[in-house]
Amino acid sequence: MPILNWLNKEQALTTARDCPYRLLELVPELSYGESDTDNMLIQGDNLDALKALIPTHSGKVKCIFIDPPYNTKSAFEHYDDNLEHSKWLSMMYPRMELLQQLLSEDGSIWITLDDNEAHYFKVICDEIFGRANFIGNIIWQKRTSPANDAIYFSKDHDNIIVYAKNKTIWRPYRLPLNEAQARNYKNPDNDDRGLWNSAAYTCAKNATERPNLYYPIIQPNTGEEIWPKKTRVWAYGQDTHQKHCENNMIYWGKDGLSKSPRIKKFIKDAKPVVPRSIWMNSEVGHNQEARKEALNLFSDTPFSTPKPESLMQRILQVATQPKDLILDSFLGSGTTVAVAHKMNRRYIGIELDENAVTHCQPRLKKVVDGEQGGISEDVNWTGGSGFKFYRLGEVIFNENGSLREGISFDALASHIWYGDTRQALQQSVKSPLLGVHNGIAYYLLYNGILGDKRPDGGNVLTSKVLSILPPHPEDPEKGKKVIYGETSRMGEARLKSENIIFKQIPYDVKGR
């Protein structure tokens, strides 16, 4: 597979690995609404924030949407978008690596870009996600009128590049009929079953292939025998056709004299629609609409090209179901999380600097309180739920790769489990038994987890501590165990006889 090379790519390849793990620190005064929520708004550099999420959310995110800087050589107020091409690629590459790790096996990632970097970006996504997992490039019509001052072409669209974590698993959810499609349904004969549209009564076969579908139909108003064209047959057998006649399911045109029967399709039976690759602004909104939405929320528009709520609604309709977890690591003015909140999705939003406090947090507060802009009326949003606000804290490991003092049990447990299994910790109840992976049970003796910090208590492995640890869930007698603790008072022979590998905190805790 072809790969893309650029200046300093070698450094970009190791940036995500070398980025230190940081703690996420809750900010209660900026959190809002119900406290029992998984919704997260994080202020800080998205590379650090994504790395902080890896131990707890790896493989859990159903849909990622990002609207990164387009590298258009224009000066944005809140983003330094004037990045040289190689710097832009080096900025994006490690972030995409971390996003790929956070994505669930049945998840998808959606990236909006214009033509300045989209084609280069697809090549690095092929490298990170695998070319086989490319889903498609959606064209979004972002403008309502042409740019008459354009020298070459009026740039009327953006690209939305879509990848799956695993294309063999991922499938898009189909869409309900939109207003334009619904207008195609009429009821010219006042059928009691409601609005209907008509579809062809034939299919592309011939009499040799399907002789049972090649027969004459009687035109009820003229008595004439109607046969399919030579290259086609009726789509229904004679018994089914008879039932259609009895149930008034066949349409013979406005005057009733047509020689080409059609089948009635009622709107009440209409199936969801397959998503298409061109999204018109009449369906999913445009930049001007998005700016109006922002002005209704704020006294200023923090970004020159925000995305409308209806565009995000379409993406979440295709990519998610209620309660799924959504992530946006270039949150901007907060559109993604606002729409996710209104659509009953869980979410994580990451935004740099004060914009997280001045725009994203107030916007989410308004959503919790029942704000009625954007898609609110369409999804019957009246308010509720809540979110938690976080800032990036200290690094968990110091410059020597050793554990810093004062780290909580939950934070250390998540990092140890991820470091040894490359999976997010699923522990619902705090316990020294973190879980079982590939037949090995992992334990953490730290911070008085067993209720006693004395040497013969919960932080040091002794015979007494071993006797009160939860047994190996799969093999209580001989199951292999990895136990992390401050030190061990058990000899090598005893550890071997108990099938235990002891790892000392902080020296044996992986810092990367």
Side-chain angles (χ1 to χ4, degrees), residues 455-503:
D456 59 347
N459 291 345
V460 176
L461 181 59
T462 64
S463 295
K464 178 183 176 181
V465 167
L466 181 61
S467 69
I468 61 175
L469 287 179
H472 191 300
E474 296 178 358
D475 187 353
E477 298 298 324
K478 299 180 180 180
K480 186 175 182 179
K481 307 177 190 68
V482 172
I483 300 178
Y484 284 85
E486 290 182 6
T487 189
S488 172
R489 298 290 175 84
M490 298 173 61
E492 289 297 324
R494 176 73 189 284
L495 291 173
K496 185 175 181 180
S497 69
E498 298 285 354
N499 206 7
I500 293 171
I501 296 175
F502 179 78
K503 295 190 176 184

Side-chain angles (χ1 to χ4, degrees), residues 138-175:
I138 294 169
I139 300 302
W140 168 50
Q141 184 191 24
K142 65 181 180 180
R143 297 181 62 94
T144 55
S145 57
N148 293 318
D149 58 349
I151 298 174
Y152 301 108
F153 297 103
S154 173
K155 295 184 177 181
D156 297 339
H157 77 278
D158 274 351
N159 306 282
I160 306 178
I161 299 170
V162 186
Y163 279 81
K165 179 71 169 284
N166 186 337
K167 191 176 181 179
T168 63
I169 297 175
W170 185 82
R171 292 293 183 273
Y173 297 103
R174 298 201 169 195
L175 297 165

Side-chain angles (χ1 to χ4, degrees), residues 207-223:
T208 303
E209 294 176 278
R210 299 294 301 273
N212 61 312
L213 298 180
Y214 192 75
Y215 57 89
I217 286 178
I218 303 301
Q219 217 287 3
N221 297 313
T222 65

Side-chain angles (χ1 to χ4, degrees), residues 16-17 21 51 54 57-61 64 94-104 128-129 165 418 422:
R17 184 198 67 193
Y21 287 108
K51 189 65 176 278
I54 289 292
H57 290 81
S58 177
K60 291 185 176 182
V61 180
I64 297 171
R95 288 160 174 81
M96 298 308 298
E97 285 187 304
L98 294 174
L99 290 169
Q100 194 271 350
Q101 293 179 51
L102 290 165
L103 203 58
S104 65
I128 295 169
F129 289 91
K165 179 71 169 284
Y418 182 80
R422 313 314 288 178

Side-chain angles (χ1 to χ4, degrees), residues 69-191:
Y70 283 10
N71 199 14
T72 59
K73 307 296 186 293
S74 61
F76 286 2
E77 181 181 355
H78 290 267
Y79 277 126
D80 177 13
D81 198 45
N82 189 20
L83 295 175
E84 191 267 331
H85 176 60
S86 63
K87 290 182 179 179
W88 187 89
L89 293 169
S90 292
M91 182 269 290
M92 292 301 299
Y93 194 96
R95 288 160 174 81
M96 298 308 298
E97 285 187 304
L98 294 174
L99 290 169
Q100 194 271 350
Q101 293 179 51
L102 290 165
L103 203 58
S104 65
E105 282 298 306
D106 62 346
S108 59
I109 183 168
W110 306 61
I111 310 101
T112 55
L113 287 169
D114 65 10
D115 289 339
N116 283 284
E117 296 290 358
H119 306 84
Y120 300 98
F121 184 76
K122 183 187 181 300
V123 178
I124 66 172
C125 280
D126 283 346
E127 186 174 337
I128 295 169
F129 289 91
R131 182 175 170 85
N133 290 315
F134 175 62
I135 299 297
N137 180 31
I138 294 169
I139 300 302
W140 168 50
Q141 184 191 24
K142 65 181 180 180
R143 297 181 62 94
T144 55
S145 57
N148 293 318
D149 58 349
I151 298 174
Y152 301 108
F153 297 103
S154 173
K155 295 184 177 181
D156 297 339
H157 77 278
D158 274 351
N159 306 282
I160 306 178
I161 299 170
V162 186
Y163 279 81
K165 179 71 169 284
N166 186 337
K167 191 176 181 179
T168 63
I169 297 175
W170 185 82
R171 292 293 183 273
Y173 297 103
R174 298 201 169 195
L175 297 165
L177 292 179
N178 59 36
E179 291 184 10
Q181 292 163 334
R183 285 196 293 269
N184 292 324
Y185 288 80
K186 310 290 183 182
N187 193 0
D189 60 350
N190 296 316
D191 195 306

Side-chain angles (χ1 to χ4, degrees), residues 200-241:
Y201 209 68
T202 60
C203 57
K205 299 287 184 181
N206 58 51
T208 303
E209 294 176 278
R210 299 294 301 273
N212 61 312
L213 298 180
Y214 192 75
Y215 57 89
I217 286 178
I218 303 301
Q219 217 287 3
N221 297 313
T222 65
E224 181 181 358
E225 281 191 353
I226 307 295
W227 291 82
K229 294 180 180 180
K230 292 181 179 180
T231 59
R232 303 182 71 83
V233 293
W234 301 122
Y236 309 94
Q238 294 190 60
D239 291 344
T240 302
H241 170 68

Side-chain angles (χ1 to χ4, degrees), residues 183-484:
R183 285 196 293 269
N184 292 324
Y185 288 80
K186 310 290 183 182
N187 193 0
D189 60 350
N190 296 316
D191 195 306
D192 292 338
R193 291 164 290 190
L195 299 173
W196 54 271
N197 197 353
S198 64
Y201 209 68
T202 60
C203 57
K205 299 287 184 181
N206 58 51
T208 303
E209 294 176 278
R210 299 294 301 273
N212 61 312
L213 298 180
Y214 192 75
Y215 57 89
I217 286 178
I218 303 301
Q219 217 287 3
N221 297 313
T222 65
E224 181 181 358
E225 281 191 353
I226 307 295
W227 291 82
K229 294 180 180 180
K230 292 181 179 180
T231 59
R232 303 182 71 83
V233 293
W234 301 122
Y236 309 94
Q238 294 190 60
D239 291 344
T240 302
H241 170 68
Q242 184 59 39
K243 291 179 181 178
H244 289 165
C245 293
E246 294 169 359
N247 293 318
N248 186 27
M249 292 292 292
I250 303 178
Y251 178 58
W252 292 96
K254 291 182 179 181
D255 57 5
L257 302 177
S258 171
K259 295 183 180 182
S260 298
R262 294 177 66 82
I263 183 76
K264 286 183 178 181
K265 299 287 185 178
F266 291 94
I267 194 169
K268 65 182 181 65
D269 301 321
K271 295 180 179 180
V273 179
V274 64
R276 303 184 71 174
S277 62
I278 297 179
W279 293 1
M280 306 303 291
N281 57 35
S282 58
E283 299 176 14
V284 297
H286 44 78
N287 283 149
Q288 186 177 356
E289 177 182 325
R291 283 191 287 272
K292 289 180 180 179
E293 290 174 353
L295 284 172
N296 288 332
L297 294 167
F298 313 113
S299 59
D300 66 326
T301 53
F303 297 94
S304 60
T305 56
K307 301 300 181 285
E309 289 199 6
S310 51
L311 175 65
M312 287 310 310
Q313 179 188 21
R314 169 68 62 86
I315 291 172
L316 297 189
Q317 284 176 325
V318 173
T320 69
Q321 294 282 279
K323 304 297 184 181
D324 282 342
L325 180 60
I326 316 302
L327 170 64
D328 186 342
S329 56
F330 291 89
L331 190 56
S333 59
T335 302
T336 300
V337 293
V339 171
H341 198 114
K342 294 176 184 180
M343 293 179 67
N344 194 26
R345 273 67 166 169
R346 297 177 298 127
Y347 56 82
I348 302 171
I350 304 169
E351 180 54 27
L352 183 66
D353 297 330
E354 285 305 304
N355 189 56
V357 177
T358 59
H359 290 84
C360 299
Q361 194 267 359
R363 181 172 188 171
L364 278 178
K365 284 182 64 177
K366 292 179 181 180
V367 171
V368 172
D369 290 340
E371 173 262 312
Q372 287 300 296
I375 67 165
S376 293
E377 183 178 350
D378 187 50
V379 299
N380 299 315
W381 177 249
T382 57
S385 190
F387 62 92
K388 294 178 180 178
F389 192 100
Y390 295 84
R391 288 193 175 103
L392 289 167
E394 286 188 293
V395 295
I396 292 180
F397 302 92
N398 62 28
E399 60 274 9
N400 298 320
S402 299
L403 187 70
R404 286 187 180 276
E405 294 183 2
I407 302 300
S408 70
F409 177 89
D410 291 339
L412 183 57
S414 295
H415 280 272
I416 284 176
W417 178 258
Y418 182 80
D420 282 20
T421 69
R422 313 314 288 178
Q423 296 180 356
L425 184 63
Q426 303 289 342
Q427 194 176 50
S428 56
V429 178
K430 186 181 291 188
S431 166
L433 174 61
L434 305 184
V436 179
H437 180 72
N438 290 337
I440 304 173
Y442 291 85
Y443 297 81
L444 173 60
L445 307 178
Y446 178 73
N447 210 14
I449 183 62
L450 294 177
D452 192 344
K453 296 185 180 181
R454 294 176 300 173
D456 59 347
N459 291 345
V460 176
L461 181 59
T462 64
S463 295
K464 178 183 176 181
V465 167
L466 181 61
S467 69
I468 61 175
L469 287 179
H472 191 300
E474 296 178 358
D475 187 353
E477 298 298 324
K478 299 180 180 180
K480 186 175 182 179
K481 307 177 190 68
V482 172
I483 300 178
Y484 284 85

